[in-house]
Amino acid sequence: MIMGKMRRITALLLLCFSLINIAIEAVNVSYDGRAITIDGKRKVLLSGSIHYPRSTAEMWPSLIQKAKEGGLNVIETYVFWDGHEPQQGQYNFNGNYDLVRFIKTIQNEGLYAMLRIGPYVCAEWNYGGFPVWLHNIPNIEFRTNNPVYQAEMKKFVTYIVDLMKRENLFASQGGPIILAQIENEYGNIMDKYGENGKKYVKWCANLAESYHIGVPWVMCQQNDAPDPMINACNGWYCDQFRPNSQNKPKMWTENWTGWFKNWGGPLPHRTAEDVAFAVARFYQLGGTFQNYYMYHGGTNFGRTAGGPYMTTSYDYDAPLDEYGNLNQPKWGHLKRLHEVLKSIETVLTMGSSRHVDYGNQMTATVYSYAGQSACFFGNANPKDDITINFENIQYTVPAWSVSILPDCNKEIYNTAKVNAQTSIMVYKNDESKRMNWQWMPEKNLDQVENGRVLGDVLMTAPKLLDQKVANDTSDYLWYITSFNLKKGDPIYGHDLKLRVKTKGHILHIFVNGEYISSDYADYGQYSFTIEASIKLNPDKNDIALLSGTVGLANYGAYFDKVQVGIYGVELVSQRDGTEVTKDISHNVWHYKAGLHGENVKTYSPNFNKGWFTDGLQADKPFMWYKSIFRTPIGTDPVVLDLKGLGKGQAWVNGNNIGRYWPSYLAGEKGCSSTCDYRGSYRPDKCTTNCGNPTQRWYHVPDTFLFDGQDNTLVLFEEQGGNPFEVKVATVDISRVCAKAYEGHSLDLACNENQVISEIKFANFGVPEGECGSYRKGHCQSSDALTVVKRLCLGKQKCSIHVDEKVLGPTECRVPQNKLAIDAVCDTTVSSENRRRKYKM
Ligand SMILES: *[C@@H]1O[C@H](CO)[C@@H](O)[C@H](O)[C@H]1NC(C)=O
Ligand SMILES: *[C@@H]1O[C@H](CO)[C@@H](O)[C@H](O)[C@H]1NC(C)=O
Ligand SMILES: CC(=O)N[C@H]1CO[C@H](CO)[C@@H](O)[C@@H]1O
């Protein structure tokens, strides 16, 4: 009895203590000239960006677990003002905007968080994260010493800081947030704002300090960041960066793991070798905090893609792919680097360092502390492998690589030697049968009936307005005008053209209720003029122009003022070779925001009126399409293959999965099937997908799908496309391959719902070639294939110690034999039957 009671009391006490541990134990985050310190101890911090609105709340735990398993100890995110305050004074923290839940998910995994409040975020996000209504407040000027702007910024930052404080989320309160950021890369553009820019930076620093959050603030790309703000570096490489004070650590807040994709652009890749090189070199040269931008890029759902012309996918070639799968070998190669860096944390952060310059861009750095030392051999030469003699031992360091020797004797890691597996992902069509489509034309395209503009007019003005007047509640804004053509008018009775000048991005012309013509801008060239032959009535005429945007600018000085939409409209007649124009820009223009179908929520699964079931009209612009599809069984990520469509938006069960534009092909030139990791990275260096649709597959997160039921897919097709080609697909690993040197282990893993079903190739000796095309070398062990089959077949994953004792003798007489394996992953029957993880 007594014992039992005691045990219960102990259990209760333990429970209390563990709760107290989680909820209340504050830590002291500070910094010195070497590192961020936590409770006085210098830390090696490895951080990765995951932007919460670019996935769903249900995906967060798995993404963060994979980040933790990949060796990160910090998750970094921006805060997205436009999502949190969609209308002035109306806040939203639901669904994938539940910031508190996101930070608590990080906390539950035992990781730290860095909160980049901004509120300017850049991030290839619509309007850099600013709500567009902000632009329409009188007398406002963004990101400068402007009291109207500063009042709004302060209100929002205060709202976020108070929310975090209320939930005890700062480390000083026992929460996970160890660092916060105010503004973002302002130093890049500050000069353009003159004295007011300098005042603004000071104001930002003072504002941040005034919150007393108890953790350090960072300003990235801000060399004049006032104390105690830490200035940090963003870029491809930050090894040469110096903070602006000896008392501040060398921090790298954005190390770009890849690059973003734009409509019309190819698919960029940055190799695992080059990312690892940049990171290892940063720590070699004194860095102690670095962040991968992005660690998981994710998806620009709805209309959140910025740019303009950023694609819906924000995969970024990040270590976790858009759907949350491991992007191998990048994820695994960096995981091993993180393990090595953490194993030398003490000597790295406490030790003194000594550099030995070998010339030819080859440097050895020795960190020493308390009788221990750790070495980095960095070869920044883009062409030559270099052999050095270090303490009477010869070491060869491949070109553009860093070797890490935690004991200054044995190389444990080299950034150019990838032991992690390569996973080849495939899209598998789920349903072979075609979907049944319903269709409905967009209504009220003529816009004017009996001299009256149909529907709700937003405003009327005797001039052409920037499309942002409508606060960006839709991609579309109608510009509508009417005029009388009188006898005697210089253009009366001639062949006429309508000339429309727009600053972007898409334009459709309707005259007297008839569709005339369309055009769109190419990436990077948003201003264009369209001319169309028209016929006018002898008396009254109506012109309706539909202007569409594809995400608003997010970068550059004064980007907020970049105009979008129509700025000039003329009627042009040719007479005897001379042009006579009539400018109607200053007519009375009526403005209407959004499409009729958007305003009545045609995309809602409950919208059942007006759909036609027969005589499907394909390849026609301004069409709504609707279909039903079943959720694929299994747990693989679901995507829609939208090949065959033109441009528009897609909704699944009422959730906007983003803009689609498969008819916009990536340019033909510049791609390459091979990629040399050596030499400085540029976004155009290792690209693929030339000549194909810029984006063909669109992510549908499980949260948007009904479990084992029918789902409603609605498309708005703006250009004209064929919905018959639309398919549901899943994404999974089809093959894995890997190569590892003797003395290391070779790990192979299919996804959790898969097994290794076939070994296509296994060779121990001197195998040649790349993943997918391995070949036998001149010598090998005859047992290797049998051993590999025994250890791996039928298993989800296997690990093989690469050694003659395991794999049999080779008699190759080379310094190090290698094992290469190429294997097939197959989905297992039991998981086929498993239900999806989430439900609505
Ligand atoms: C926090 O840590 C820093 C650096 O170790 C130290 O200077 C400071 O006094 C500590 N603050 C508190 C409140 O303990
Ligand atoms: C746009 O936002 C501003 C600022 O909140 C507001 O004053 C204005 O009425 C809005 N305009 C429209 C068309 O909704
Ligand atoms: C801000 C920054 O560090 N930018 C660098 C990004 O990488 C390119 C290419 O290496 C450099 O030229 C930039 O200076």
Side-chain angles (χ1 to χ4, degrees), residues 411-474:
E411 173 192 310
I412 293 294
Y413 186 87
N414 174 275
T415 59
K417 296 181 189 164
V418 177
N419 285 306
Q421 76 179 32
T422 298
S423 302
I424 297 167
M425 309 303 293
V426 282
Y427 294 97
K428 296 183 202 159
N429 282 339
D430 186 66
E431 285 178 290
S432 49
K433 73 172 181 357
R434 283 180 164 183
M435 292 191 210
N436 278 322
W437 290 96
Q438 303 187 343
W439 61 281
M440 175 169 25
E442 163 70 4
K443 290 196 175 63
N444 298 350
L445 285 170
D446 36 1
Q447 292 301 331
V448 189
E449 220 171 72
N450 303 327
R452 286 196 41 168
V453 177
L454 297 165
D456 294 334
V457 172
L458 188 71
M459 58 183 75
T460 298
K463 57 182 172 185
L464 294 164
L465 298 172
D466 183 322
Q467 190 160 340
K468 290 196 288 295
V469 290
N471 289 345
D472 195 41
T473 49
S474 161

Side-chain angles (χ1 to χ4, degrees), residues 28 30-31 37 39-40:
N28 173 9
S30 187
Y31 63 84
T37 62
D39 284 339

Side-chain angles (χ1 to χ4, degrees), residues 221 233-238 256 680-681:
Q221 295 290 91
C233 171
N234 290 352
W236 305 110
Y237 306 94
C238 281
W256 303 322
S680 285
Y681 180 74

